[in-house]
Amino acid sequence: MARLVEVTRLTAIRTNRGELPGHMTDDDDPSGPAVPEFKRLVRAVTAAEPVTAVCEQMTGAERRAAAGTAIGTLVGQLTVANSIGFDDSETLAEVCCAVAAMLVEWWFSSAPMARREFTEAWKQHAFGHREAGLPSDGTNALALLLGALLHNQARQDHVRVEDLRPLVFTRVLPALESPERAGAVLAAFVAPPHTDTVSVPIKRYTRGNPRFLAELCLYLSSALTVHVKDCPHGLRESDHACTLAHRGPALGQNSGAQVASPTPEEGLRVALPWVGFHEVEPAEDAPAGHDADHVWQINVDRIVMQRWDADASHWNEAISEDSSISEPNYRHEVGLEFLCCPACGSHGPFLAEGSWDDPLTLHCRCGVTMMSPLDARPDDLGRHLLKRLILCEADPAYAARRMLAPLAELREREQRAREASWYRGPDDEDVAVAEAVDLDRGDLAAALTDALKPRLPKRHEGRALTLLLLQIREALSSPSVHDSPDGQHLTEAVHDLLTDLKDESDRWAPTREPVVDRLRTWQTEGGPQLWQDAWARTLAMAERYFARNRVGEGRIADGCAGVTLAQYLLAREADCGVEQITADDVRNLTLPSDKQEADQDPAPVMLRFAERLKALGHDLDAADDPVARLWQHLATDRATGTFGDQRAPALTLGLDTLLGDRSFYRVRL
């Protein structure tokens, strides 16, 4: 019975251009001979319900009535097909699903973070994937639901498959606001038969998982909202009714900002590129001496913008999750670049237009106008950018003045970091930049150019210091800015910051010394032959395990020094060579000697070391004894962790790092 209904339904779809006649599904449709039982089964097949179970709930008479209708309908459909053939042209359902798939892909391309968030949400339904056989790519589910809603809207608006240009996407938003309504449309949607491997499991899963259906509706609502917001025809219109005719080229090319269809009234318009871009709102008010509604027209050669890169973020995430990579090559996610015209790719010059607090209008020499929406929020990128351009036009020195606040903020963060227990000196990349800038050169902009080697107008990535210095270099490149009092103030502030970084780097230079070099320095301080033998054995071990390590917080170097001291102590007491001392022998020196020391208090360990060294004839306060000098270093208290104020001797911390039960290294001599 189930197979008979499925074949009859498929044949009807083939002969009716992808649709099902109303008399096969609608109980209120009096046309046609279909009995209610047959309609019930057809609706069950369409909704991907368990048709066999539905059949089992019917009586024998009901099944015979449904079978009679199915056979009669099938014979009629085959007779028509035999007479005029099947129409293989694209159906309305196929076109709607294709448009929906393009819109979803456009959304993910223009908003990479949205793709990432949806992927994470989709993974939460992993159990459903296995049970329901859902496709691995969740975009199929989004496209199917949106295709069903677009198809339903097209039929209501009498939009033909031959011309979908007048189809208004936002007409489906009310259905998306009600997941129950959207689910009903999806269940009744006659999806193209060739999509059964996708549509059937998705329909089944959404029917039994309201939360999943609500998530799909939420993501599609966001996609449609962004889609309409970026429509060039609606940039200056609130509640714009975006149609397929307006956004067809953008969908086909999977791009977030495309040139609109030219019209005599509007010309060529594109949405201002905004994905990932960041612009801080100016702290200053509108320039004095101008009316609030004064329309500015500003010629700018180029516009430097800060942008976050989603591709770099994905790269870093993939590396962090790959345990096989021992030295991850992370990329900088934030960079500077020149604003680019989405139509011609030009980086300028541009003509900026607008009043204070207006959305930005930016004209490119190719004839295209970049716009931010008229109803954009006060924190819109275009509004902030226009304010910056206006302030620079009224007073060029503002370009230097605006850099003072982020420069002071960066220096304050650095000072706060120096007070933390985890601080081990300035970042190596920042130090390299500071040392590369020739502060004795009279022209700071030229010195920054030589040091940074800007890749602008192409993207230049880097840490916060690098990006800030690039912006400062861009500002000071103009003589009117460089020679102004604000420009000189900015120059002095940069000098102070870089000088301070160099001084701090010099103070922490010993921590950047390779561990092996630090050990060799201690070895060259002399001492008895057994002491030298212990150092030689420790150095051989360090070259195996720590050839690439730097001193840093000192745990590894102190651990190696502790191993040397322990080898010497045990070899002297046993009157043997250091080669007979094992790692377990060294480890036993730090173990508790009785149950009262089970809390691993380092004081008894230090006391045992001191007493046994004194028994060997060492004055631990002597300045001319290499063994005593190393003991004085290892007896100094160090911070036990990144957070908190607890401290412990360098000897016990170092030995625990190399030989402790939870040691990452567990070295062997």
Side-chain angles (χ1 to χ4, degrees), residues 342-366:
C344 68
S346 170
H347 296 98
F350 302 118
L351 172 64
E353 272 189 309
S355 301
W356 190 265
D357 279 331
D358 275 354
L360 176 65
T361 299
L362 202 62
H363 301 281
C364 179
R365 58 184 175 181
C366 71

Side-chain angles (χ1 to χ4, degrees), residues 259-291:
V259 178
S261 303
T263 61
E265 299 81 12
E266 299 170 349
L268 297 173
R269 300 191 300 184
V270 299
L272 182 73
W274 59 272
V275 176
F277 286 98
H278 176 69
E279 178 72 21
V280 178
E281 182 178 13
E284 299 185 14
D285 295 328
H290 297 276
D291 295 335

Side-chain angles (χ1 to χ4, degrees), residues 146-414:
L146 182 57
L149 295 172
L150 291 176
H151 176 266
N152 182 66
Q153 194 59 50
R155 295 184 64 184
Q156 290 183 9
D157 295 343
H158 304 290
V159 177
R160 299 177 303 164
V161 65
E162 291 79 8
D163 186 10
L164 288 178
R165 292 168 55 83
L167 184 62
V168 181
F169 295 119
T170 49
R171 294 284 300 278
V172 306
L173 284 175
L176 290 172
E177 294 172 358
S178 172
E180 294 81 7
R181 180 178 170 185
V185 173
L186 178 62
F189 176 53
V190 183
H194 62 80
T195 66
D196 281 351
T197 55
V198 172
S199 61
V200 170
I202 289 175
K203 285 186 177 184
R204 288 175 178 169
Y205 195 62
T206 53
R207 185 173 62 251
N209 295 269
R211 185 173 68 89
F212 173 68
L213 180 60
E215 289 176 357
L216 295 183
C217 292
L218 182 62
Y219 282 106
L220 286 178
S221 297
S222 300
L224 290 172
T225 302
V226 173
H227 179 77
V228 174
K229 173 188 174 184
D230 282 350
C231 178
H233 291 277
L235 291 172
R236 293 295 189 259
E237 302 174 14
S238 299
D239 301 324
H240 169 62
C242 178
T243 66
L244 181 58
H246 288 173
R247 299 293 279 152
L251 292 181
Q253 299 179 30
N254 295 333
S255 174
Q258 291 289 328
V259 178
S261 303
T263 61
E265 299 81 12
E266 299 170 349
L268 297 173
R269 300 191 300 184
V270 299
L272 182 73
W274 59 272
V275 176
F277 286 98
H278 176 69
E279 178 72 21
V280 178
E281 182 178 13
E284 299 185 14
D285 295 328
H290 297 276
D291 295 335
D293 57 352
H294 175 72
V295 179
W296 294 80
Q297 291 189 331
I298 307 168
N299 289 296
V300 289
D301 291 334
R302 56 188 180 267
I303 300 175
V304 179
M305 300 288 290
Q306 181 174 297
R307 184 175 69 84
W308 173 82
D309 189 354
D311 291 337
S313 177
H314 294 158
W315 170 270
N316 293 341
E317 183 179 5
I319 288 180
S320 66
E321 294 177 352
D322 190 344
S323 59
S324 64
I325 301 177
S326 58
E327 296 183 5
N329 180 26
Y330 291 110
R331 293 169 52 184
H332 291 293
E333 297 182 9
V334 180
L336 291 180
E337 56 190 63
F338 287 169
L339 185 65
C340 174
C341 173
C344 68
S346 170
H347 296 98
F350 302 118
L351 172 64
E353 272 189 309
S355 301
W356 190 265
D357 279 331
D358 275 354
L360 176 65
T361 299
L362 202 62
H363 301 281
C364 179
R365 58 184 175 181
C366 71
V368 167
T369 300
M370 289 171 276
M371 292 178 165
S372 52
L374 183 63
D375 59 349
R377 300 187 308 177
D379 60 350
D380 175 65
L381 171 75
R383 293 184 190 274
H384 289 178
L385 180 56
L386 179 58
K387 289 180 179 180
R388 190 229 294 186
L389 297 177
I390 290 175
L391 290 170
C392 288
E393 178 72 7
D395 180 12
Y398 172 75
R401 205 157 55 246
R402 66 185 287 263
M403 292 288 99
L404 291 172
L407 191 66
E409 182 182 349
L410 187 146
R411 186 163 187 176
E412 183 180 351
R413 287 201 307 268
E414 176 67 21

